[in-house]
Amino acid sequence: MDGILYAIAIMALGGVVLGALLGYASTRFKVEGDPLVDKIDSILPQTQCGQCGFPGCRPYAEAIAKDEADINQCPPGGDENIHKLAELLGKEYKPLSEEHGIEKPKQVAIIDEKVCIGCTLCIQACPVDAIIGAAKQMHTIAEDLCTGCELCIPPCPVECIHMVTVVDTPDTWKWQKPGTASRVIPIIPVMATIQSEHA
Amino acid sequence: MKLFSFKGGIKPDPNKTQSTVLPIAQAPLTSRYIVPLHQSVGGTPRPTVQVGERVLKGQRIGEADGWISAAVHAPTSGTVVEIGPHIIPHPSGLATDCVVIEADGRDAWIERTPFDLDQAEPDAVRDYLRDMGIVGLGGAVFPSHVKLSVPRGKQVEQLIINGAECEPFITCDDRLMREQATEVVQGSLLFGRLLNAGKVLIGIEDNKPEAIAALKEAQQQLEAPLEIVTVPTIYPTGGAKELIRVLTGKEVPGSRRSTDFGVQVFNVATVQSAWRAITYGEPLISRIVTISGAVGEARNWSVPIGMPINVLVKLAQPRTDMDGVIMGGPMMGFRIPATAAPVIKATNSLIVHAPGLFPPKPAELPCIRCGSCAQACPQELQPFELYWWSRSAKFEKLENYKLFDCIECGCCDFVCPSHIPLVNYFRFAKSEILAEQREQQIADAARERHEFRQERAEREKREKAERLAKANAARKAEGKDLSAAALSPSPKTAPANDPDAAPDISSHPDQASTPISMDNHPVLDATAKQAAILAATERARLKREKHAGKSRDTTH
Ligand code: SF4
Ligand code: SF4
Ligand code: SF4
Ligand code: SF4
């Protein structure tokens, strides 16, 4: 009799412990959305330009995950991203599909504030709220938020938005791989005539 | 005092005696000074002057942007003739915004008031040093006030003042310690006091006996409670992590701050200039620069920040076959892109280059995995592994080999029998990794903003539908028509939590967030559009006329 009671108690305890564990696991390892879509989306450049044929990066990521779109349709991501997607998905690399566009250096939009009539059409087009302004007031673009998607260009009735290529600053400039031609030759420490000793 | 040692290191020919014979000379006044706004690690200072404005020597011309940033000042009196991009001494060869001052020859100071330390809160001292433009003069140009704030709960046991100056050819700190020993000692005490440091140690390599003697004498005269420690001459003892190791035995990993281990390090010239700022109210407008190499007269100069390098180098009688200038030393320096670039706060040394000064580097051969580089590395890294993964652009592997612990000292390059430009591979890999991190941050921010916007669009759609449904119900109930409901003011839907970033679209008659093509735009039909454009161009013309003559640089 005692044995049965023990068995019941142990089973009950086990149930409680396992239940708690499961509960913990479900909050601890909760996944929001599809993890594969998230992974693909994290590779995509988030320009939100729609050149891939989808209304933004996430929809394209979803289509790739469902195998409904190819991996070479995103011009802003370019070659590098196609390689990353190919690696992630175990697919073969293929060059950027020309019909979707060409890879360009990063650009940002600039509003000619002298011409802007404050119509707010560009604000409505901008996928990342990078344009600041109110109706009938001149608008400006927050340069560091602009993804360069060009979606604000066609709606502007006075054609006052232009794309400019982002130029390097000393802070964003990158060292080139040795052996590639570069403008500046960093001095290499060679005093070959000098004996070097190890300390 | 017991000294420790670090692994590795090398002993290159110091080449220091050439420039230590003569005392520091004051660079004569020149006609034009080019002062870059961005001279320290951190934010880019905003100009506080306009083109055409007259400035006095020591007047602030750029104010610090954020906490990690430091002000810049006019090196002499004169007129601001331009604010615009000029090439700066940086390996990129790129230009950044500079304030160009045409000197009036009077060299007239702004009013200087000493800072009353006894009355001031610690925060006020730090703000003051930031506004006086005090940054690390050892070459790293990190704003000093930032390093003077110790994280809560941490205590600086040892404050190390770095007078090691281990890099060949450079002697600016050596001459400064010899000639301004009292100010160096007082500056060291000042920082010890600001940090409430347990101990103040000045570390100097044993190849500078005159500097050591001068400092010891100053210390005795001032009865200064600090220690002057002679350390062996091994490159790169002057590296902060290496000097900490030698003086305290503490090992600071690459990713950690030295204050986490109770140590802080400043260069001798930094504490001296901070002391002058406090005592005399003098901002950082000049520094000592060693000019050496292929010149007739190698020596140190006290040079106003902004002096064009070609004007300065001429004073040293460069050889006629000179073909470039190296900023920094032969181990860590780089060839400057254009000699018209100005002296900046980071310019500790200029080596005039001519054929034969340094033998050309032989061609790169394959790595034989001899391990010499690992033996020489003071950071105890394995440069050949770093090289292998940098070269094959497998950046994710580099973390395992602690790429960011590399201080780019060049010891590995120096000993490599295959003449591989290892440091350049590491610089390449580091900048690729940092750029990728930057891009990822930008993409993440864009994703977030896009999602936020979509949510808002959804909400607006829902609210609109609800309003319509309500209006319809009301109309049905009261038999009224829709127009009354449609005329009622619409609720403000722009998000309130982000007023700057979120565009104000509340006053627009149509609040849909989806792009609207011109053809079916509800507000602007063809004639209205035409009229709007005409009105806008007219407005723009008037505005242009009104603003003509005003400075163009107020929006910067
Ligand atoms: S093409 Fe544009 S919208 Fe499509 S994934 Fe690339 S960046 Fe995103
Ligand atoms: S400002 Fe124009 S180019 Fe920039 S993100 Fe917005 S819509 Fe795209
Ligand atoms: S010293 Fe040069 S050759 Fe030897 S292991 Fe290092 S990189 Fe390779
Ligand atoms: S440059 Fe980097 S890897 Fe080479 S010896 Fe110095 S710290 Fe080590």
Side-chain angles (χ1 to χ4, degrees), chain A residues 106-172:
Chain A
K106 171 139 168 61
Q107 295 186 308
V108 289
I110 302 272
I111 293 184
D112 185 344
E113 294 170 1
K114 291 198 283 288
V115 182
C116 171
I117 55 172
C119 70
T120 77
L121 291 176
C122 56
I123 290 189
Q124 295 164 47
C126 178
V128 291
D129 287 343
I131 308 179
I132 297 154
K136 302 207 186 69
Q137 270 171 28
M138 163 195 101
H139 294 6
T140 42
I141 293 172
E143 231 178 274
D144 48 339
L145 303 178
C146 172
T147 66
C149 70
E150 301 187 23
L151 290 180
C152 52
I153 301 229
C156 178
V158 288
E159 286 178 18
C160 73
I161 309 180
H162 306 280
M163 301 304 293
V164 292
T165 303
V166 178
V167 289
D168 271 340
T169 67
D171 281 343
T172 60

Side-chain angles (χ1 to χ4, degrees), chain B residues 369-389:
Chain B
R369 294 183 88 80
C370 64
S372 304
C373 50
Q375 258 178 325
C377 176
Q379 294 289 91
E380 302 184 24
L381 305 174
Q382 287 164 299
F384 55 90
E385 296 282 5
L386 291 171
Y387 158 68
W388 180 255
W389 298 114

Side-chain angles (χ1 to χ4, degrees), chain A residues 80 168-177 180 182, chain B residues 90-92 94 395 424 427-436 438-439:
Chain A
E80 203 183 312
D168 271 340
T169 67
D171 281 343
T172 60
W173 169 83
K174 295 192 282 185
W175 286 88
Q176 275 184 320
K177 191 167 173 175
T180 30
S182 105
Chain B
H90 185 271
S92 66
L94 292 172
F395 300 130
N424 281 344
R427 286 170 169 158
F428 153 71
K430 281 182 186 176
S431 65
E432 287 290 334
I433 292 170
L434 291 175
E436 177 142 1
R438 227 173 13 242
E439 268 166 37

Side-chain angles (χ1 to χ4, degrees), chain A residues 13-104:
Chain A
L13 197 74
V16 169
V17 169
L18 282 175
L21 221 79
L22 273 175
Y24 170 71
S26 72
T27 46
R28 173 74 175 72
F29 303 111
K30 191 170 149 206
V31 277
E32 270 185 39
D34 186 341
L36 182 60
V37 174
D38 282 347
K39 269 194 202 136
I40 298 171
D41 193 39
S42 73
I43 292 175
L44 296 177
Q46 307 302 319
T47 309
Q48 315 292 0
C49 62
Q51 288 180 81
C52 49
F54 295 86
C57 303
R58 180 117 199 146
Y60 178 44
E62 280 160 5
I64 295 177
K66 279 191 242 148
D67 225 355
E68 286 166 6
D70 227 330
I71 57 170
N72 63 345
Q73 300 183 0
C74 169
D79 231 32
E80 203 183 312
N81 272 16
I82 301 175
H83 278 294
K84 283 189 194 161
L85 288 172
E87 196 178 327
L88 173 72
L89 301 162
K91 290 195 175 173
E92 196 143 334
Y93 162 82
K94 45 176 97 171
L96 182 66
S97 121
E98 265 173 41
E99 108 193 47
H100 291 95
I102 46 159
E103 194 175 345
K104 283 191 278 197

